[in-house]
Amino acid sequence: MHHFTRLFPAAAVGFTGQSLVSHAGTKILTELIDALGFRGLCEDRLGQFAPSGARHRPGRLIASLALMLAGGGEHVSDLDMLRSSPGIFGPVPSNATVSRFFERTVANPELFSYGFETLTRELRSRAWDAAGNFEPGGQATAADPLIVDLDATLVTSHSDKELAAGTYKGGYGFSPFIASIDYGTGNGTGEILACVLRPGSAGANSADDHIRVFETATAQLPESFFPDGKLDGQRILVRTDSAGASRKFLWHLHSLGVQFSVSYPVPAAKAHMIDWINDKQYWQPALDQHGTDRTNAWVINATEVIPLKDYPPGTNIYLRAEPLHPGAAPTLLDLDGHRITAFLTNAPRWHGPFLDARHRARGRCENRIKTLKNTGLGKLPFYDFAANQAWANIAALALNLTSWLQLTALPEGHHARSWDIKRWRYRLFATAGKIITRARRRTLLLPDRAPEKQLITVLLDRIKDLPARLKSAPAKPT
């Protein structure tokens, strides 16, 4: 008789009526939501989207969806994971109630969008006020502005939906345009300012779409960016890829005093102007993201060599040269084995290597877009375009809750400031628990051996103090 050795301990499986809670770690987010005053704000901004006297108000419905998406859910039916633990998550709306709510958003999409945008703007203001020295916009100046990244992406639709269309990659779906804030290295993963849903056939280099998403994004910034009611553009830097290098868009930014840093495709006709690549005496060593000189990459201000026509005054073109990466396909613009890339900027700073390193950090926005797709944008569940736009807004809120958690509750220099949403889910949000009642007081018990026990304790303590920090925050200039 052959015996086999188990990889894991044998244990019989049974079911119990005890108050066991999966995803009990998301209790951290429920505490943050309440500390920010979400319920009252949502009722004020979106109360008209629920019938008078309805049991489930918009605050509970939207918060439940955002919590589910932050915890790893993808569909409305995934609310079942919260619904099974009313002791922690309260009465969760049914799927039918959620469906009727989105039907009401379709009936008046402009009103819902306005209400949701003003809601998230106030939540952002409160989170930034509670962040203290970590407030992203608090120290923004012309020399060190708040960085807003603009980029489009593709979302595949596996069924026919309103305004879904073929994409330039041969797929079918939507091409949302996303504006996000870069907190910088070590300060957090950043947050989403706007997610504007577009048909899949929408062009990536549309100047009108760039202007539209920029206006939507800046409307989400706190009042401190609008002294005298006008946008303080010099404290904002917009970064885009080459799709944002259109003159119309850059002139629009210039008219508002906004700084920009955009990739620029060097025309083949001007390639001969940079054939002095071999003479490095005119070039400066490029910097890595830690500010250290690189020995095999160089940067130069080439505005006098490659003249720019019809661009805003003060626009400069910077070139970057570095050897071809292994496996990279050579192009006609590669000179002496070097890949030449360029970007345009009107920044008041003139140190080319610094400007180049700051522009190359734009790649971090790709991680934020990937995270947004993993937090609900990747699967748009409805047929109506307006309903899917509302879902995209809630997905952005789910991502931002984790970002605001990093800003408001994490100690300075904590390693969790760089965690991606998937790590938050596995290390914290997926922690299981049990509800007990003693002396008529309900308590959620978490495992004493939870790997992030200390972090959970720190977060809950810091969130508990958040309302007091909001009251003591200095008034913002208006």
Side-chain angles (χ1 to χ4, degrees), residues 294 296-298 320-325 337-341 360:
R294 291 188 55 178
N296 61 344
W298 302 268
R320 176 188 176 90
E322 60 183 337
L324 288 175
H325 296 292
H338 290 81
R339 173 63 49 87
I340 307 297
T341 56
R360 287 175 63 82

Side-chain angles (χ1 to χ4, degrees), residues 344-412:
L344 306 177
T345 183
N346 63 345
R349 302 180 69 159
W350 288 85
H351 188 236
F354 168 82
L355 297 174
D356 171 70
R358 185 171 69 179
H359 181 72
R360 287 175 63 82
R362 194 194 72 83
R364 287 197 288 260
C365 79
E366 299 291 343
N367 287 332
R368 289 190 287 276
I369 292 175
K370 178 192 70 175
T371 300
L372 182 58
K373 288 184 176 181
N374 290 329
T375 319
L377 182 63
K379 293 187 177 180
L380 301 174
F382 303 106
Y383 171 80
D384 294 293
F385 184 82
N388 284 325
Q389 176 65 74
W391 178 270
N393 291 339
I394 296 174
L397 173 62
L399 182 152
N400 288 340
L401 286 175
T402 305
S403 299
W404 295 336
L405 182 67
Q406 293 173 321
L407 282 180
T408 61
L410 281 178
E412 183 177 1

Side-chain angles (χ1 to χ4, degrees), residues 86 100 181 238 242:
R100 289 192 293 269
I181 295 177
V238 173
S242 58

Side-chain angles (χ1 to χ4, degrees), residues 123-124 127-128 131 133-137 144-149 180-193 221 239 361 364-365 368 399-408 410 416-419:
L123 288 173
R124 177 172 291 106
W128 286 17
N133 294 332
F134 299 116
E135 180 188 356
D144 189 18
L146 179 74
I147 297 177
V148 177
D149 289 311
S180 61
I181 295 177
D182 187 359
Y183 290 164
T185 304
N187 295 325
T189 52
E191 63 184 83
I192 303 298
L193 279 178
L221 295 175
R239 285 191 311 208
R364 287 197 288 260
C365 79
R368 289 190 287 276
L399 182 152
N400 288 340
L401 286 175
T402 305
S403 299
W404 295 336
L405 182 67
Q406 293 173 321
L407 282 180
T408 61
L410 281 178
R417 283 187 172 273
S418 61
W419 281 6

